[in-house]
Amino acid sequence: MSKQQHFGWFLSRGFGPHGWARPYYEWNYPWQKPGLYQEGARTLEQAGFDFVLIEDALSVGISPETLDLRVRKAYGGPKHDPWTLAPYLFAATEHLGVIPTANPAGWHPYTAARQFASLQHLSGGRVGLNVVTDVGSAHHFGQERLSHDAAYDRAQEWLDALRLLWRSWDEGALIADPETQIYADGSKIRAVEHRGRYWSFDGPLNAEPLPSEPVIASPGGSPRGIRFAGENSDIQLALSNLDVDAVRAYRERVRADAVAHGRDPDTIKTMFVFKPIVASSVEEADRIVAASADPDEAALLAVAEAWSSDLETDLTTLDLDRPLDPAIFGEHVSQGTIKGLRGRFDSFADVPFRQILAGKARLGRIGDGISGTVGTAEELADLVQALGDDADNDGLIFSGDLHPVTLHHALDELVPILRRRGILRSEFVPGGLQANLSSF
């Protein structure tokens, strides 16, 4: 049997218009209502996935150009609050973890600690936080834009503050004894005084102590992002070429940083985000790849438009026959996203932007190269198995919307194959998301 791995689903459009501009949008699932997401969550739980992680962005920008880029094709908005969606997903499932995105810029630590503690109790320990540090929303909260590393410093203070509040009830503080009619011992609840660089507040928290703290997830492949994950995270969302050497090297970086912060490296799962295209046959996979080999101007523009939203920078007006100047990206823009745009090239210099975009538009076959994403379910299972057996991979996070058509197309054939090979769980353990992440 092969190594068992963890699996998650990255809800890449967030709580937004799922299926938009796709033929299956005509299935008439209203994206603003919970039914679509509840059906998807039940499917993921049935498939043995550990969690669904809900992307979010607090802002659609402020300039007319950025606003239009983000909303025209619904790449970056509208987005509703993922935390309001989480209880509906918990109600529809028994084991699936739900990890909405939380940006410290938009959450006061006391409010965040109280709300997340409440959801952890309501869900039986199945909530997580995907801590992001983008600063594009600063103007909505009357804040100055921080630099890339300073935003991580703020996130560290925020997370430390949440833990301080979650732990303000000492062991034995909660009594809940019907005979004595004493609910709690106030002498075992500690006052909290936090005076930090970014927040000042007092505790203790007005919530019962947690059976387990929410799982912490974080993206970010920069040195500062890896350091944040090594110190704090239970799940590191990783972006990398899915070949054995790259996966092993990335995972070792994260684990080494965990050790440097005095943690057991086995407590952090490095999980690679992957958006495969599952074809019904080898012939169909070959046809899909061949059709993408020579992208036209419209295809290149569509790629530029999509990346413009993620990078908060209008790429559609650039000269395609000149190299891209990285100075166009603000300091707040994710270095991992910039690296993702660059792809296989070491730098943007001396590479016409057309070539960068063409590389994004072209698709590769799974097994034919380090960036291949197109293949049959059997070929995809072969890749997953190789990553587990040869690179000791912790798991994968599939990316896409939560529309039933998307989920079934990706998973219907793949799940049985992975289960037969012993890679995908068939049963959950009690105790919530953290217990299932720690079960192997």
Side-chain angles (χ1 to χ4, degrees):
M1 297 289 281
S2 293
K3 177 187 174 181
Q4 194 169 14
Q5 298 181 50
H6 297 278
F7 292 87
W9 190 275
F10 181 66
L11 189 49
S12 57
R13 199 183 287 268
F15 188 179
H18 288 258
W20 180 251
R22 301 285 187 179
Y24 53 74
Y25 192 75
E26 303 306 323
W27 272 89
N28 293 340
Y29 282 94
W31 70 266
Q32 305 91 340
K33 298 184 181 299
L36 165 68
Y37 308 94
Q38 290 178 313
E39 183 173 340
R42 285 189 289 265
T43 298
L44 291 175
E45 182 168 90
Q46 186 69 32
F49 276 50
D50 291 79
F51 59 84
V52 56
L53 189 150
I54 309 173
E55 181 271 348
D56 191 34
L58 295 172
S59 177
V60 290
I62 191 169
S63 70
E65 296 80 8
T66 303
L67 280 166
D68 186 57
L69 283 168
R70 284 183 170 267
V71 303
R72 186 191 314 157
K73 298 291 180 67
Y75 285 123
K79 292 181 188 291
H80 294 178
D81 185 349
W83 289 95
T84 62
L85 181 62
Y88 292 96
L89 304 188
F90 292 133
T93 56
E94 296 180 23
H95 305 286
L96 185 73
V98 179
I99 308 178
T101 293
N103 187 332
W107 294 87
H108 187 280
Y110 188 91
T111 305
R114 190 166 185 251
Q115 180 163 335
F116 305 155
S118 300
L119 286 170
Q120 186 73 329
H121 282 291
L122 283 169
S123 67
R126 292 192 283 142
V127 76
L129 284 68
N130 177 40
V131 182
V132 300
T133 57
D134 65 276
V135 297
S137 59
H139 56 280
H140 297 308
F141 302 97
Q143 301 169 353
E144 294 182 6
R145 278 195 174 192
L146 301 179
S147 67
H148 175 272
D149 284 8
Y152 272 107
D153 294 341
R154 178 173 63 184
Q156 185 64 60
E157 181 184 333
W158 183 79
L159 197 51
D160 288 343
L162 264 60
R163 288 169 170 153
L164 188 66
L165 289 164
W166 285 334
R167 300 168 187 175
S168 58
W169 287 46
D170 290 334
E171 185 176 354
L174 179 64
I175 298 173
D177 185 352
E179 291 189 10
T180 63
Q181 296 188 346
I182 295 176
Y183 199 84
D185 182 351
S187 69
K188 295 182 179 180
I189 302 174
R190 290 175 290 104
V192 170
E193 293 185 359
H194 178 84
R195 301 294 181 267
R197 179 176 180 181
Y198 298 102
W199 289 281
S200 294
F201 62 86
D202 297 326
L205 188 64
N206 181 24
E208 282 194 2
L210 296 171
S212 62
E213 292 182 5
V215 162
I216 303 300
S218 65
S222 68
R224 186 64 182 92
I226 295 292
R227 192 161 77 248
F228 182 85
E231 184 170 359
N232 301 286
S233 298
D234 303 291
I235 300 169
Q236 162 70 348
L237 280 70
L239 293 174
S240 173
N241 294 323
L242 291 186
D243 68 280
V244 168
D245 291 339
V247 166
R248 184 188 297 114
Y250 195 115
R251 183 173 181 269
E252 287 176 354
R253 284 173 60 204
V254 175
R255 289 171 62 84
D257 212 284
V259 170
H261 284 95
R263 297 178 61 195
D264 178 351
D266 290 337
T267 60
I268 182 169
K269 306 299 182 185
T270 304
M271 299 182 66
F272 293 85
V273 181
F274 183 41
K275 192 172 185 177
I277 299 173
V278 182
S280 59
S281 66
V282 170
E283 292 74 20
E284 184 193 9
D286 291 339
R287 179 188 60 77
I288 292 170
V289 170
S292 72
D294 189 19
D296 59 17
E297 294 290 314
L300 298 181
L301 183 62
V303 173
E305 197 169 43
W307 280 88
S308 294
S309 177
D310 290 343
L311 291 161
E312 300 181 55
T313 308
D314 189 356
L315 306 178
T316 64
T317 61
L318 300 181
D319 186 341
L320 298 187
D321 296 311
R322 296 178 62 85
L324 181 150
D325 182 357
I328 66 172
F329 301 121
E331 189 178 358
H332 65 284
V333 175
S334 164
Q335 294 299 307
T337 306
I338 295 172
K339 183 179 179 181
L341 174 66
R342 198 172 68 234
R344 64 183 178 87
F345 298 101
D346 293 331
S347 73
F348 292 111
D350 301 323
V351 180
F353 189 42
R354 177 186 304 278
Q355 196 170 342
I356 297 282
L357 296 177
K360 296 300 170 190
R362 294 188 189 106
L363 299 172
R365 289 282 273 112
I366 289 173
D368 287 350
I370 58 178
S371 59
T373 60
V374 184
T376 65
E378 287 281 356
E379 290 170 336
L380 177 54
D382 289 342
L383 171 64
V384 175
Q385 182 172 351
L387 294 177
D389 293 347
D390 300 334
D392 205 21
N393 187 41
D394 294 313
L396 292 171
I397 303 176
F398 287 63
S399 176
D401 64 27
L402 210 60
H403 197 284
V405 172
T406 303
L407 292 176
H408 285 288
H409 185 77
L411 301 178
D412 278 357
E413 292 186 58
L414 179 63
V415 165
I417 299 170
L418 293 177
R419 283 222 170 105
R420 286 195 296 269
R421 300 187 187 189
I423 298 169
L424 174 64
R425 73 163 75 243
S426 294
E427 295 180 349
F428 294 91
V429 300
L433 178 55
Q434 185 64 263
N436 279 287
L437 287 173
S438 303
S439 61
F440 56 84

